[in-house]
Structures are given as structure tokens and as C-alpha cells.
């Protein structure tokens, strides 16, 4: 007994070894001028309420967002109840190889497009002082989630500080110095503003009929040692040395299935309660509570991609340009981009049932690109790739409620559009109302509209949570029922292949947003037996069967169907075929690589010949692509253990892209990073940021079936470094240091009892750990 206690004490006593070695430079975005364009502004958010701070001197523009402000109302579950009658006709056309007819018939199996995510309002802080500005500085600290800016006017310094607090549901702004300013609220959506000397109140609703829209109430309170006066819609502060602004907002959104007016949340009362709360504590207390809440998540992971921590003293936009023009040499920028992705996910994904959308939380546009919606054929999934491995599991919780809502509506979609009475499905796009129907409005291309694998792909995130946490209660109560529902739909959607009896395929099928050219020269989108469909279903069935076994449930039908799925095939170019036949892509460089899901984010594509074919697919596609696709390719190359290629693509993601100076979004000349480190899809789309963060993790650690591999895809540029806090499947947290590409010291913590095999330095070591135990491993 004494021997066991001694060993345990040694293990637990040395638990901070690798954390101490992972010294990380301050993670700071910094600039010497205010933002002129959205892509230069700095974001803050508490998971629901967010802001884009421009930091202007004469007029400091701050766009406000609330993640629950959308157009529309709950979906009509009887929509297109007879649309399924077209499915047999489409199948008949397909199996007669009449792809043109099949494409045209697909238009009948389309419903409405999604609703829009909309901006909440615009705050103006206008400095009433006169004179030239000098010594302007602006920064965002990722370590504290606080923006600061300062400047000198007429020899007097003005300092401003901004943060968004999750525990107190507010945005706080502190102004210090010689304060004479006018504060105004306005909005692009229908609104009204009322002012009293210490408070602005703005009410309004999302674009659309007032009686059918989500309503909101924004309140801004002022605390100052100066004089305050109110006009009709603004507040003026004069002769102050300090002014503190608190901003709160509530909407009438009350759930995906509740009408926002007739069954809406009491947004006026809730906003009044929120603003009253600001009277009870000081700014410093709010500041302290914000830091404690944010750092409890953010501080779990530290990273260093060189032999020592080196801070950058200059401007971030200059650093990005230098990195782009001089060979991508800044390890600091690579660390900063990694942590920026973590910062963004913590800041935009903490609202029950409302996950991060295409813009995360931040948009200045009334009509956001791609409606600011949930695109479920890669983009929503990619948003959450770093959540578990980068130790932010709680940020994926909003996705649980959203998937549950999709499952509820998706049962009606399965029946109405496909005549399937079991399980549920979801399609290409969704919104806050959890719409699941195929989109396109009976006029848009099937290449993206007629795709019903969204639910089947999305539930793999639930399985990932279980893999990383080993929470069996979560698996039983939440994950498995939703996974099984998606799998039941797929079992009924699969049909026997008339070209190869005994095989199962999907028909009709599309490969998300991609187009083929048949051997007869037809340029189309609708097919049967598409590889992407079958890869998603294969991954879903494997994971659902595994989950069932853990819970003591067996699904013989699913096991048989898995064995009958049409197999992967290799094409004439040595690539992994995307289509049932060995057809060419219409565009060989196409951004989507959906048929590679089994390689990443899935894990079933392990056959060496198929992995080689996947590699060949990536070679053919090349490196020029959009932001989110670049992020995905980092992970794909890392999963193939090609660290140099993964790092090359990571550098590609960090290519400097100029701000979009036109108000109309520019959808070309992008695929990199804007000055504020937002992903340039183009235009801004946040999944590229999250794909990049996940890609760094995938280069440093991979885990599956009780095996953890350290440095599986380490590039020469990162030959020295350290990381702490990354998570591995099986319920482990890992920290390690490396020199010359070799792991030197490693620490592993276990959340549960288990046995794990570590792979490192061409060696392996199997370790038994008890729940809560930490073990340090000398690897040299």
C-alpha cells in the first residue's frame, strides 16, 4: 500500500512539468491605425452578444450582433408533402442513364432557401474634441479577450477598453482621459431609439413583417464622472475623466419551434433585468468575472512552435504581409492564428441550441453572404473540428441542441420529400429554425440543392464528443438516439444497385457542389452511387454500430447494410473516384473534397491503396482553393502523415488578402487571411479559421482506438516546440515538448480508467492509467 501511494504521489507531484515548459508568448493582434473596413475590425463576443470594434477616433464605429437575430419563423412541417412522388421518376431516369432528365426532375424535390442572420445594430462613439491625432494604437489580447485602443489628441491621451462578458451577458466599454463624446445607436433593421441622460434603449425586429419577426431590445447604460445630456436618440458626455458603457440585448427567439411573436421570449423584461444587473457591480468586478470565465477555457492549451517563446512587437497586418512575401517564416503568426481560432469559437458558440454560423457571430451586412446561415455540407461541421482536440468541449454544446432540433424537423422532411417514415435527415442549408428540407426553390442547381446527407454527417460530432470524453450517459441519452435516427433514414434511403445486385447505393445522389463529365460528354450533377454519400453513410454506420455495442445494443440490419455498400474505386488518374463511374470532374481543381470524408474528419479510410488514391486526389486538386477548403486540406495532408505538405497548406491559409473595399461581397481573389486574421473564403467565412486551428492539432497529435501518436505530421519548420492541453480520444489530455523533431518529455492525464498506447520517435509505449491520474514519461 505504501509503495502505491509513493508512485501516485510522484506522478501527481510532477503533473506540471510539460505545462511549465510550454512557455507561450503573449497572443496579441495589434495595429497602429483604426479599422476602415470590416476585415480590419476586431471581434469580441460572449457566445451570444458580439461586437466588431473599428476603433475610429472621430467616430468609433462598433457593429453589434446577437446570434439569435434572424429573419423568419418556425418551418411549416407540411411543406411539399407530395414531393417524394418524384423520387421514383428520378431513379428511373438515372438507371436509364438519362442524367439530363434526372437533373431537371430534381428541381421538383426542392423547397425554400434558408432565412438570414442579421446584424443587431451600430454603435457610434463620436469624439467631440478637435485637433490632430497622434500615437494611435489598437490591440486585441487573445489571452484575456480584451480589446484596447488609445490615441493622443491635443496632447491628451484617450484610452478605451472593450470586452464581452459571458457570465454577465453584457458588453462593457471603458473610456478614460479627456472624455467629450456623443453616443448613438442605430440599426439597418427596423428600429426605434429612445434616450434618457444615462441610457439608450433601441427596440426593433428582424427584416420582415413585424408580427412575424424576431424582436429585440438593446439597452446601453452610461456611468461617468462627467456631465450627461440626452437628445431624442443619443447621449452626450462632457467634461469627464472616465465613462463606462454597458450594452445588453435580448431577443424574442424562444426556440426553433416557437413563434417569435405569439410564443416569443419576454425580451423587453429580460433586457431590463440585464441592464439593472449592471447597477450591482463595479466595472472591475465585471472585468474580473469575465477574465475568470474566459481563461478557464482558453488557458487550457498553450503552444510554442519554436525553441523559445518570441513575442512580436509590430503590427499584425505587417506581420501577415511579411509572412506572405518572405516564405512564411514567423512561427509567432502561426501560433497566433491557432489561438485566434480558439478565441473565436469560445467567443461565438455558447448559446444553447444556436451554434456558430458561417460568420460565427459577426457580420456588418444586412444581407450576409450566403445568408449567414448554417451550411451543412462541410461548413458547420468544420466549425467544430477544433472543439474537442483543442480542449473546448463546452463550445460544441450548442450543436447538441441544434442537431436535436434538426432531428425533430427532419422526420417530416424524410417523409415529405423521400417517403421515408423512419429516422430523420437534413440537407445543404439550415438556419435558426432548424430547417431541414432540400433547398433551391425549384429552380437552382441540384449540385448543392438536392443533398440530404447533412444529418448523417453532422451527428459524427456527437460521436466525437463521446470519443474524447468517454461520457457514457451522454452517449446513451443524447448522441446515440440522434445517430441512430440519422442511420435509420440512411438504411431506408439506400437501394439495391440494379447494375450490381447485392450492392447498396443511393439514388439520386450528388457530390456537394461538384459537377461531373460523363464518358458521353454530358456535364451534370445528379447521379447514383456517389462516393461522398457512401463515405458519409459508411462513417455513420461504423460509428453508430460502435456506439450501440458500448451501450449493449446490436443492429444486425445496419451491420449487413454496411457490408453491402458499394466499395471505393480508383480512377484512371490514380485518384479516388468521386462518382460511381470513372468520370472526370468538370473542374479538376474543385474546392470540395467530400468523397475524402473517410480520411478526415472520418477515420475509416485506412486501406493503404485507398489512402494513396486520396493523396493523388489532393495532388490533382492542387493548392489554390477557398479558405475553408484550405483548412480542410491541412487536416487531410496531416492525416496522411505528410507534415511538409500540411505546413505548406497552412502557410497558404495565412496568405495576406486585402480588405474588401466594396460593400458588395467579392467572391474572388481570396483563399487566405484578412488583416484582422478572419478567413478570406472570400468573403469572410469563419470555418477556415477553425479548420486551420484543427489542422495544427492534427499535425501535432492523432488518436484512435486507444492509440495516441505524437508528432504524426511535424514539418521541419516546427522541429522544436512544446504544447500542453491538447486532448486525445479515449479521455486523455496530453502535453509534450520536442527538439529536432523528437519528443523529449511527455505528460498524459486520464479522465477515466484505461490503457493507452503512445507512439512517438518510432517507438511505442503502453500505459495503464486510473481516472484523475497524471503520468510523466521520459522519452529519451
Amino acid at each position: 500500500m505504501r509503495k502505491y501511494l509513493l508512485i501516485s504521489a510522484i506522478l501527481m507531484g510532477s503533473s506540471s512539468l510539460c505545462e511549465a515548459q510550454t512557455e507561450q508568448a503573449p497572443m496579441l493582434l495589434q495595429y497602429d491605425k483604426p479599422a476602415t473596413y470590416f476585415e480590419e475590425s476586431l471581434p469580441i463576443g460572449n457566445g451570444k452578444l458580439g461586437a466588431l470594434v473599428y476603433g475610429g477616433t472621430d467616430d468609433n464605429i462598433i457593429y453589434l450582433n446577437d446570434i439569435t437575430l434572424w429573419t423568419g419563423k418556425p418551418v411549416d412541417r407540411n411543406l411539399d408533402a407530395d414531393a417524394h412522388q418524384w423520387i421514383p421518376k428520378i431513379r428511373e431516369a438515372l438507371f436509364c442513364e438519362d442524367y439530363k432528365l434526372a437533373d431537371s426532375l430534381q428541381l421538383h424535390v426542392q423547397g425554400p432557401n434558408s432565412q438570414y442572420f442579421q446584424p443587431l445594430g451600430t454603435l457610434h462613439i463620436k469624439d467631440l474634441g478637435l485637433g490632430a491625432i497622434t500615437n494611435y494604437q489598437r490591440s486585441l489580447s487573445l489571452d484575456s479577450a480584451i480589446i484596447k485602443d488609445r490615441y493622443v489628441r491635443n496632447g491628451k491621451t484617450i484610452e478605451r477598453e472593450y470586452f464581452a462578458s459571458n457570465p454577465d451577458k453584457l458588453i462593457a466599454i471603458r473610456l478614460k482621459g479627456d472624455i467629450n463624446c456623443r453616443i448613438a445607436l442605430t440599426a439597418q433593421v427596423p428600429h426605434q431609439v429612445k434616450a434618457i441622460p444615462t441610457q439608450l434603449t433601441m427596440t426593433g425586429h428582424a427584416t420582415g413583417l413585424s408580427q412575424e419577426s424576431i424582436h429585440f431590445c438593446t439597452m446601453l447604460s452610461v456611468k461617468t464622472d462627467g456631465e450627461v445630456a440626452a437628445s431624442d436618440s443619443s447621449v452626450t458626455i462632457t467634461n469627464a475623466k472616465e465613462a463606462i458603457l454597458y450594452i445588453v440585448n435580448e431577443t424574442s427567439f424562444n426556440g426553433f419551434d416557437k413563434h417569435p411573436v405569439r410564443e416569443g421570449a419576454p425580451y423587453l423584461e429580460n433586457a431590463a433585468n440585464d441592464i439593472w444587473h449592471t447597477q450591482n457591480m463595479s466595472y472591475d468586478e465585471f472585468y474580473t468575472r469575465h477574465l475568470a470565465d474566459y481563461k478557464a477555457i482558453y488557458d487550457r492549451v498553450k503552444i510554442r512552435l519554436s525553441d523559445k517563446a518570441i513575442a512580436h512587437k509590430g503590427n499584425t497586418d505587417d506581420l501577415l504581409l511579411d509572412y506572405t512575401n518572405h516564405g512564411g517564416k514567423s512561427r509567432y503568426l502561426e501560433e497566433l492564428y491557432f489561438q485566434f481560432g480558439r478565441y473565436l469559437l469560445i467567443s461565438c458558440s455558447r448559446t444553447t441550441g444556436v451554434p456558430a454560423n458561417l460568420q460565427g457571430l459577426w457580420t456588418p451586412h444586412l444581407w450576409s453572404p450566403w445568408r449567414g446561415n448554417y451550411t451543412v455540407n462541410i461548413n458547420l461541421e468544420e466549425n467544430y473540428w477544433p472543439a474537442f482536440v483543442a480542449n473546448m468541449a463546452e463550445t460544441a454544446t450548442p450543436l447538441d441542441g441544434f442537431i436535436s432540433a434538426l432531428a425533430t424537423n427532419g422526420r417530416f422532411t424524410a417523409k415529405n420529400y423521400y417517403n421515408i417514415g423512419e429516422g430523420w435527415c437534413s440537407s445543404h442549408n439550415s438556419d435558426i429554425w432548424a430547417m431541414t428540407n432540400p433547398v433551391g426553390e425549384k429552380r437552382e442547381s441540384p449540385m448543392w440543392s438536392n443533398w440530404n446527407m447533412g444529418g448523417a454527417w453532422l451527428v459524427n460530432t456527437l460521436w466525437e464528443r463521446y470519443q474524447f470524453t468517454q461520457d457514457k450517459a451522454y452517449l446513451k441519452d443524447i448522441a446515440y438516439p440522434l445517430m441512430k435516427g440519422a442511420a435509420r433514414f440512411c438504411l431506408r434511403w439506400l437501394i439495391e444497385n440494379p447494375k450490381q445486385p447485392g450492392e447498396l447505393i443511393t439514388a439520386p445522389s450528388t457530390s456537394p457542389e461538384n459537377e461531373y463529365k460523363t464518358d458521353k460528354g454530358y456535364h451534370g450533377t445528379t447521379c447514383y452511387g456517389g462516393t461522398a454519400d457512401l463515405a458519409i453513410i459508411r462513417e455513420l454506420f461504423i460509428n453508430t454500430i460502435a456506439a450501440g455495442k458500448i451501450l449493449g445494443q446490436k443492429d444486425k440490419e445496419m451491420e449487413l447494410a454496411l457490408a453491402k455498400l458499394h466499395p471505393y474505386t480508383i480512377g484512371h488518374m490514380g485518384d479516388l473516384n468521386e462518382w460511381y463511374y470513372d468520370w472526370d470532374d468538370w473542374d479538376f481543381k474543385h474546392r470540395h473534397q467530400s468523397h475524402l470524408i473517410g480520411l478526415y474528419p472520418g477515420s475509416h479510410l485506412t486501406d493503404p491503396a485507398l489512402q494513396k488514391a486520396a493523396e493523388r486526389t489532393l495532388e490533382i486538386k492542387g493548392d489554390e482553393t477557398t479558405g475553408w477548403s484550405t483548412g480542410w486540406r491541412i487536416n487531410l495532408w496531416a492525416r496522411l502523415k505528410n507534415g511538409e505538405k500540411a505546413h505548406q497548406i497552412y502557410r497558404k491559409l495565412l496568405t495576406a488578402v486585402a480588405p474588401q473595399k466594396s460593400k458588395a461581397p467579392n467572391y474572388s481573389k481570396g483563399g487566405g487571411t484578412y488583416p484582422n486574421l478572419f478567413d478570406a473564403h472570400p468573403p469572410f467565412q469563419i470555418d477556415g479559421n477553425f479548420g486551420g486551428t484543427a489542422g495544427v492539432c492534427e499535425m501535432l497529435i492523432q488518436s484512435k482506438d486507444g492509440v495516441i501518436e505524437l508528432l504524426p505530421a511535424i514539418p521541419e519548420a516546427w522541429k522544436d516546440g512544446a504544447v500542453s492541453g491538447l486532448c486525445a480520444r479515449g479521455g486523455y489530455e496530453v502535453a509534450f515538448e520536442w527538439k529536432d523533431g523528437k519528443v523529449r518529455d511527455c505528460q498524459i492525464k486520464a479522465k477515466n480508467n484505461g490503457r493507452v498506447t503512445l507512439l512517438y520517435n518510432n517507438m511505442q509505449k503502453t500505459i495503464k492509467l486510473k481516472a484523475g491520474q497524471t503520468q510523466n514519461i521520459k522519452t529519451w
Side-chain angles (χ1 to χ4, degrees):
M1 181 65 175
R2 289 183 60 191
K3 182 177 179 182
Y4 169 76
L5 290 174
L6 177 62
I7 292 172
S8 179
I10 291 172
L11 292 173
M12 295 305 291
S14 57
S15 64
S16 62
L17 174 64
C18 288
E19 281 93 334
Q21 292 171 339
T22 313
E23 180 188 0
Q24 178 180 280
M27 294 284 99
L28 195 68
L29 282 71
Q30 48 195 342
Y31 308 85
D32 62 6
K33 59 182 181 295
T36 302
Y37 304 104
F38 160 61
E39 296 85 2
E40 298 171 328
S41 65
L42 293 176
I44 53 174
N46 63 17
K48 180 177 182 289
L49 183 63
L52 293 160
V53 180
Y54 279 59
T57 52
D58 293 334
D59 184 7
N60 184 7
I61 298 172
I62 302 170
Y63 284 98
L64 301 174
N65 293 104
D66 186 304
I67 205 166
T68 64
L69 184 62
W70 292 67
T71 61
K73 58 184 178 180
V75 300
D76 176 3
R77 292 174 178 173
N78 294 317
L79 184 72
D80 290 336
D82 297 325
H84 58 81
Q85 66 180 311
W86 294 97
I87 297 298
K89 297 179 177 66
I90 297 169
R91 286 174 173 166
E92 181 181 3
L94 284 172
F95 295 131
C96 290
E97 315 300 331
D98 190 344
Y99 302 106
K100 183 177 181 179
L101 177 59
D103 273 340
S104 67
L105 293 175
Q106 283 268 66
L107 300 181
H108 295 287
V109 194
Q110 294 181 0
N113 290 331
S114 75
Q115 296 296 324
Y116 286 85
F117 174 58
Q118 295 205 294
L120 174 64
T122 309
L123 171 65
H124 294 268
I125 304 176
K126 296 188 177 183
D127 188 343
L128 302 179
L130 301 175
I133 301 296
T134 59
N135 299 328
Y136 184 87
Q137 298 174 11
R138 176 170 61 107
S139 65
L140 164 60
S141 168
L142 304 183
D143 301 320
S144 60
I146 291 171
I147 294 173
K148 295 182 179 182
D149 66 347
R150 67 194 306 273
Y151 57 92
V152 176
R153 172 170 252 157
N154 291 329
K156 296 180 179 180
T157 299
I158 305 293
E159 296 179 320
R160 303 179 295 201
E161 187 172 70
Y162 321 74
F163 66 85
S165 167
N166 176 271
D168 294 303
K169 301 194 296 183
L170 57 80
I171 290 173
I173 303 173
R174 181 168 64 181
L175 317 175
K176 295 179 69 175
D178 189 16
I179 307 300
N180 294 276
C181 64
R182 181 175 296 114
I183 299 164
L185 272 175
T186 186
Q188 299 176 67
V189 297
H191 68 285
Q192 309 84 35
V193 179
K194 293 184 178 179
I196 59 175
T198 58
Q199 185 171 293
L200 290 173
T201 300
M202 180 170 69
T203 57
H205 61 87
T207 303
L209 296 174
S210 173
Q211 64 269 28
E212 299 288 338
S213 301
I214 293 177
H215 285 59
F216 66 86
C217 177
T218 306
M219 304 185 80
L220 182 152
S221 74
V222 178
K223 293 185 177 182
T224 182
D225 57 5
E227 300 167 13
V228 185
S231 69
D232 289 341
S233 59
S234 66
V235 169
T236 301
I237 302 171
T238 54
N239 302 319
K241 296 302 178 185
E242 180 179 81
I244 295 170
L245 313 180
Y246 294 120
I247 304 163
V248 301
N249 184 76
E250 296 289 351
T251 75
S252 67
F253 176 72
N254 199 26
F256 76 100
D257 56 351
K258 300 291 192 300
H259 192 281
V261 175
R262 296 192 296 272
E263 304 169 283
Y267 66 101
L268 295 172
E269 295 90 333
N270 290 342
N273 288 337
D274 292 344
I275 205 69
W276 179 256
H277 175 61
T278 65
Q279 305 299 315
N280 298 329
M281 284 190 287
S282 68
Y283 178 89
D284 288 341
E285 288 174 314
F286 286 127
Y287 184 100
T288 300
R289 283 164 57 85
H290 158 69
L291 279 182
D293 169 77
Y294 171 76
K295 290 173 75 64
I297 305 174
Y298 176 83
D299 281 353
R300 293 171 190 162
V301 175
K302 301 293 182 185
I303 192 169
R304 174 167 50 81
L305 297 176
S306 59
D307 59 347
K308 58 184 176 181
I310 301 174
H312 178 74
K313 302 299 183 184
N315 296 327
T316 301
D317 48 354
D318 292 337
L319 176 63
L320 184 62
L321 280 170
D322 184 73
Y323 183 92
T324 300
N325 296 329
H326 297 95
K329 297 178 181 178
S330 173
R331 305 289 80 84
Y332 177 80
L333 180 63
E334 293 170 341
E335 297 161 2
L336 184 69
Y337 191 88
F338 167 82
Q339 290 288 28
F340 186 58
R342 297 185 67 244
Y343 166 81
L344 291 176
L345 195 56
I346 296 168
S347 301
C348 74
S349 185
R350 300 180 73 181
T351 299
T352 301
V354 188
N357 59 52
L358 276 176
Q359 278 73 42
L361 164 62
W362 301 277
T363 182
H365 304 296
L366 179 63
W367 308 111
S368 290
W370 306 284
R371 301 168 178 258
N373 65 17
Y374 298 111
T375 305
V376 196
N377 70 356
I378 170 60
N379 312 97
L380 179 56
E381 290 87 351
E382 189 167 354
N383 281 0
Y384 290 93
W385 286 352
F388 304 114
V389 66
N391 215 333
M392 307 178 288
E394 53 269 81
T395 64
T397 301
L399 197 59
D400 294 350
F402 185 67
I403 295 174
S404 179
L406 292 175
T408 299
N409 286 338
R411 289 196 292 272
F412 297 92
T413 294
K415 183 65 176 174
N416 295 347
Y417 289 89
Y418 307 109
N419 200 29
I420 292 175
E422 292 185 55
W424 65 278
C425 68
S426 183
S427 303
H428 173 270
N429 287 138
S430 191
D431 52 29
I432 199 168
W433 309 110
M435 63 168 283
T436 54
N437 59 268
V439 292
E441 300 185 339
K442 297 180 172 54
R443 57 184 173 81
E444 300 189 28
S445 173
M447 76 175 181
W448 63 276
S449 301
N450 294 86
W451 184 79
N452 57 13
M453 290 286 111
W457 187 345
L458 198 54
V459 293
N460 287 342
T461 307
L462 309 178
W463 174 243
E464 282 287 273
R465 180 187 288 276
Y466 171 75
Q467 292 266 78
F468 278 92
T469 65
Q470 301 292 290
D471 184 342
K472 192 175 286 189
Y474 170 84
L475 183 67
K476 178 178 180 290
D477 297 335
I478 297 175
Y480 184 65
L482 291 170
M483 292 169 68
K484 190 166 184 178
R488 297 308 297 178
F489 169 81
C490 290
L491 283 171
R492 297 296 166 257
W493 179 238
L494 288 164
I495 62 171
E496 187 172 19
N497 181 5
K499 309 292 183 177
Q500 187 66 48
E503 278 189 355
L504 294 177
I505 59 170
T506 57
S509 174
T510 59
S511 196
E513 303 184 46
N514 205 354
E515 303 161 274
Y516 57 74
K517 183 173 69 175
T518 71
D519 54 350
K520 303 293 191 299
Y522 177 70
H523 171 201
T525 63
T526 305
C527 62
Y528 55 83
T531 304
D533 276 8
L534 298 173
I536 291 167
I537 293 171
R538 189 173 271 110
E539 184 74 19
L540 172 64
F541 284 2
I542 290 170
N543 295 340
T544 306
I545 290 167
K549 288 180 179 178
I550 292 166
L551 299 173
Q553 299 189 38
K554 194 167 185 177
D555 194 316
K556 192 71 173 178
E557 183 184 8
M558 201 179 306
E559 292 176 1
L560 291 171
L562 176 62
K564 292 181 179 180
L565 292 178
H566 174 67
Y568 286 104
T569 58
I570 297 174
H572 64 281
M573 300 175 68
D575 58 327
L576 196 70
N577 273 328
E578 187 161 359
W579 317 101
Y580 179 86
Y581 294 107
D582 189 8
W583 294 336
D584 288 338
D585 287 349
W586 183 253
D587 173 12
F588 286 113
K589 307 291 185 182
H590 196 267
R591 64 195 178 278
H592 278 262
Q593 47 256 331
S594 309
H595 61 308
L596 303 187
I597 184 180
L599 179 63
Y600 185 95
S603 59
H604 71 259
L605 204 145
T606 56
D607 178 88
L610 296 180
Q611 287 199 348
K612 185 175 179 61
E615 181 176 358
R616 179 62 184 141
T617 297
L618 292 173
E619 290 171 352
I620 293 170
K621 284 184 176 292
D623 303 337
E624 299 293 332
T625 189
T626 55
W628 64 262
S629 180
T630 304
W632 192 357
R633 290 181 193 183
I634 298 166
N635 288 275
L636 288 164
W637 281 111
R639 187 60 65 88
L640 289 168
K641 310 295 176 69
N642 191 330
E644 296 306 323
K645 192 66 181 179
H647 186 237
Q648 176 194 335
I649 305 300
Y650 189 55
R651 296 199 308 270
K652 190 73 180 172
L653 187 63
L654 285 165
T655 298
V657 176
Q660 301 212 0
K661 298 181 181 181
S662 169
K663 289 186 178 180
N666 179 3
Y667 293 86
S668 63
K669 298 181 181 178
T673 296
Y674 291 122
N676 63 358
L677 299 191
F678 272 166
D679 168 60
H681 173 283
F684 165 57
Q685 198 172 290
I686 203 167
D687 36 41
N689 288 101
F690 298 141
T693 295
V696 172
C697 296
E698 194 67 17
M699 294 162 75
L700 298 179
I701 184 172
Q702 295 179 21
S703 57
K704 181 185 178 184
D705 298 335
V707 177
I708 301 173
E709 184 172 2
L710 307 181
L711 304 183
I714 194 74
E716 174 63 24
W718 297 354
K719 64 184 182 66
D720 301 324
V723 69
S724 62
L726 295 184
C727 294
R729 294 171 183 84
Y732 303 99
E733 187 175 313
V734 180
F736 56 97
E737 182 185 24
W738 66 93
K739 293 185 181 296
D740 295 321
K742 301 292 184 183
V743 178
R744 301 297 295 269
D745 293 298
C746 176
Q747 177 190 88
I748 183 166
K749 301 177 184 178
K751 297 178 182 177
N752 308 281
N753 297 337
R755 180 192 300 268
V756 64
T757 298
L758 280 179
L759 302 181
Y760 57 89
N761 304 348
N762 296 317
M763 300 186 298
Q764 69 178 47
K765 184 180 182 68
T766 299
I767 308 162
K768 286 182 67 176
L769 290 165
K770 293 185 180 297
Q773 184 179 353
T774 301
Q775 184 163 338
N776 291 313
I777 301 157
K778 210 72 172 174
T779 62
W780 56 288

